[in-house]
Amino acid sequence: MRTLSSDLKDHIGKTVHIQGWLHKKRLLGGLTFINIRDRRGLVQVVIQDKGEVEKLRGMQIGTVLAVDGKAVEEKRAPGGAELHDAKVNVMVPVTDEPPIEIDKPLSHKPDNLDTLFEHRVIGLRNLQEKAVFEIQATVCDAIRGYFKDNNFTEIHTPKLLAEATEGGAEVFKLDYFGKVATLAQSPQFYKQMMVGPFERAYEIAPVYRAEPSATTRHMTEYTSVDGEMGFITLKDLEHFLSGLLRASVDAAWDKHETELKRWNATKPELPTDIPALTLAEVHEKYSKATGDDTVGEKDLRPDEERWICDYAKKHLGSEAVFITEWPASEMKFYHKANEKDPEIADRIDLLFRGVEITTGSMREHRHAILVSQLKELAKGDPKDPGFEPLLTAMRYGMPPHGGFGLGLERLTEKIIGFNNVKEATLFPRDINRLSP
RNA sequence: GGGCUCGUAGUGAAGAGGCCUAUCACGCCUCCCUGUCACGGAGGAGAUCGCCGGUUCGAAUCCGGUCGGGCCCGCCA
């Protein structure tokens, strides 16, 4: 029976069998300490028998070991317990020296990120590095829980599509048995259609963007958290997103405070209702403060996103901020213009610690208006197989509805306090990286 | 796609015309060490300074090209 590192203290005085990876060797002459890593953490093994130590000669970090020994309470040991009288069995010997060291923090300096990703397979064995993805898994769990608590149904939509549809982002094209298929840039139309059957639906899945962007915010493949709900208003969406962000952050801090502090993370300040500013207000404040005139611009500059987040932290008591009242002239064809002011789109962006993590909007659910917006804004053909199903949904009854897309890696990045989204991505994909 | 910037042992860094036969730390190998936990100590191996060309008596160092990173902008989320 295998005992896990975390359970050693429950077996004091007993002989136990542990299995894991050699994580660290410390040879002190007559006394040798080794750390063994398993899925729960590390266990310290003390070896005095020269013959047992000799079995580890030439064995590199990463060697897979099984060790039998006696669990002993020991104040001087990490975790308060350790293994004595160890009998070592090398299950899988490793004699090649690892390309990077994993028992100390890996360099996350921008210049060294390439090395970090090149040796990702080994680097993730570093406890601090793998914690990034344990935190991400917790965030993902929290998001699922929040959706579930709000009566959403999880869906899985196709990533292979017939046409380039949404407009905006470039899509990847690929050969599909002689036809051209595209990779989904978002589950946008499918999640909207699924409001019909489910009223509330969500998906957490990869999406693909063929934009040749080389920034700290962009990848060609990322994990999109998509939600869509019927019978709501833009204000409802705002509340929902406030709750979603707080649930994510709280779960991460409840479960991983130690790891987050090791990354020098601070718990973000987030009020119950995240403050909202209009796009015009942001331009005005930014222009006044920096002397860089952005008034009248139809989007936010990256520097404005950073600046307004600093502003919100200092003056609004929040490290996240909603941006509202976007120009209707720039909206996607499936967005809905504001009923009272048709110059404004019912769209809302959520900025968190300097980056946009979410875009949400009300969708145009009235068939006739959607058809005309499709023709005018996207120059699209309603008969196109890429658009036709969405229009069918509207034709046969869709309530006012809205939804959002959230970048899981950007959220994780900013919870931990990284500056590059790729640091929060297991195996990042960008314009020049396809491997590992 | 544009601008700026960086490529030096396995990893991280120093060196900015001759002090370089290239320095340091970690890792690796050998030896010493019984409470380490980024253990400590002694010794050793490991780099044609990304690549190609040029300037110069002399290039890791200057110039041009090239390849590969990074950051910002654009595009986008």
Side-chain angles (χ1 to χ4, degrees):
Chain A
M1 259 281 276
R2 182 183 175 204
T3 299
L4 292 170
S5 57
S6 53
D7 300 334
L8 194 69
K9 54 188 176 308
D10 302 328
H11 294 80
I12 300 299
K14 293 180 191 145
T15 297
V16 298
H17 178 75
I18 61 166
Q19 297 179 355
W21 290 263
L22 179 62
H23 193 73
K24 184 74 186 173
K25 278 196 273 192
R26 274 182 279 269
L27 289 80
L28 276 67
L31 190 62
T32 293
F33 295 95
I34 63 171
N35 290 333
I36 294 184
R37 176 178 59 87
D38 63 19
R39 66 177 186 266
R40 301 298 300 267
L42 297 179
V43 57
Q44 174 163 286
V45 178
V46 184
I47 310 173
Q48 298 196 46
D49 186 311
K50 292 239 185 313
E52 297 302 316
V53 175
E54 201 54 31
K55 289 180 189 170
L56 295 171
R57 182 178 285 269
M59 292 299 119
Q60 303 291 334
I61 303 311
T63 295
V64 182
L65 297 174
V67 180
D68 293 290
K70 195 171 146 196
V72 174
E73 188 166 19
E74 172 58 70
K75 282 200 192 73
R76 290 171 294 184
E82 63 187 13
L83 218 60
H84 283 194
D85 304 325
K87 287 271 174 279
V88 174
N89 172 26
V90 175
M91 292 172 75
V92 181
V94 175
T95 52
D96 292 327
E97 186 188 345
I100 51 170
E101 293 160 65
I102 59 161
D103 66 310
K104 53 197 70 167
L106 272 38
S107 173
H108 277 243
K109 278 171 57 179
D111 283 349
N112 300 330
L113 288 180
D114 199 48
T115 309
L116 184 71
F117 301 137
E118 202 57 39
H119 301 294
R120 199 57 152 164
V121 178
I122 304 304
L124 286 166
R125 295 179 176 191
N126 174 284
L127 264 36
Q128 198 170 335
E129 210 60 48
K130 79 171 191 168
V132 172
F133 300 96
E134 289 164 342
I135 291 165
Q136 188 169 78
T138 294
V139 167
C140 206
D141 273 351
I143 290 171
R144 280 208 165 81
Y146 187 76
F147 275 126
K148 235 180 259 181
D149 291 346
N150 283 280
N151 260 281
F152 279 71
T153 299
E154 182 168 12
I155 57 171
H156 304 281
T157 68
K159 303 305 155 205
L160 281 167
L161 305 178
E163 301 287 332
T165 46
E166 269 187 58
E170 285 292 317
V171 296
F172 285 107
K173 294 189 166 79
L174 56 95
D175 175 67
Y176 194 76
F177 306 113
K179 292 179 192 167
V180 177
T182 63
L183 288 177
Q185 60 168 311
S186 93
Q188 184 61 38
F189 300 161
Y190 287 102
K191 66 175 175 174
Q192 278 189 255
M193 292 178 234
M194 289 306 100
V195 168
F198 301 112
E199 195 178 307
R200 295 183 166 200
Y202 78 97
E203 176 168 23
I204 302 174
V207 294
Y208 304 89
R209 305 283 167 99
E211 296 295 335
S213 302
T215 77
T216 52
R217 310 181 294 285
H218 296 93
M219 297 188 289
T220 50
E221 174 174 357
Y222 71 92
T223 307
S224 182
V225 175
D226 277 275
E228 198 73 19
M229 40 188 160
F231 303 102
I232 60 153
T233 64
L234 192 64
K235 208 71 196 162
D236 295 329
L237 191 58
E238 200 175 307
H239 281 300
F240 183 87
L241 287 169
S242 282
L244 180 65
L245 179 58
R246 277 204 328 278
S248 306
V249 165
D250 287 346
W253 275 86
D254 283 350
K255 205 170 167 188
H256 302 286
E257 184 169 342
T258 310
E259 292 87 346
L260 282 161
K261 283 185 171 162
R262 207 162 283 147
W263 278 113
N264 290 322
T266 54
K267 185 164 186 185
E269 201 178 334
L270 294 172
T272 308
D273 279 306
I274 292 169
L277 294 168
T278 67
L279 182 63
E281 285 173 330
V282 177
H283 285 326
E284 193 188 317
K285 287 179 192 301
Y286 177 82
S287 300
K288 210 166 151 189
T290 65
D292 224 351
D293 188 15
T294 61
V295 172
E297 288 188 6
K298 292 175 175 180
D299 201 351
L300 286 175
R301 296 181 187 177
D303 190 50
E304 275 184 298
E305 294 181 350
R306 292 184 282 267
W307 184 87
I308 198 63
C309 282
D310 279 347
Y311 175 89
K313 186 180 180 182
K314 278 182 202 140
H315 303 286
L316 307 175
S318 177
E319 293 187 54
V321 61
F322 286 112
I323 311 298
T324 60
E325 297 193 12
W326 295 78
S329 59
E330 305 300 303
M331 74 182 188
K332 301 271 181 69
F333 82 89
Y334 54 84
H335 284 177
K336 190 163 177 285
N338 187 273
E339 304 254 5
K340 290 186 189 127
D341 183 354
E343 296 296 304
I344 287 169
D346 274 343
R347 167 185 164 187
I348 184 169
D349 278 21
L350 177 56
L351 308 186
F352 179 43
R353 292 183 161 175
V355 297
E356 178 192 320
I357 58 167
T358 294
T359 294
S361 79
M362 293 303 292
R363 323 301 193 188
E364 183 49 70
H365 65 288
R366 295 161 296 185
H367 182 264
I369 300 175
L370 185 60
V371 168
S372 72
Q373 286 190 178
L374 170 62
K375 287 177 183 166
E376 280 166 37
L377 297 176
K379 310 288 176 226
D381 177 0
K383 295 274 190 287
D384 191 306
F387 299 124
E388 199 272 329
L390 180 70
L391 297 172
T392 299
M394 303 305 163
R395 187 196 299 273
Y396 294 101
M398 283 286 274
H401 65 284
F404 64 92
L406 178 154
L408 180 64
E409 295 88 348
R410 284 189 182 180
L411 175 58
T412 312
E413 172 201 353
K414 287 304 160 189
I415 287 176
I416 298 174
F418 288 144
N419 291 315
N420 191 319
V421 69
K422 291 168 203 169
E423 296 172 85
T425 306
L426 202 57
F427 293 107
R429 290 291 179 265
D430 63 27
I431 47 175
N432 36 32
R433 180 172 287 282
L434 268 172
S435 165

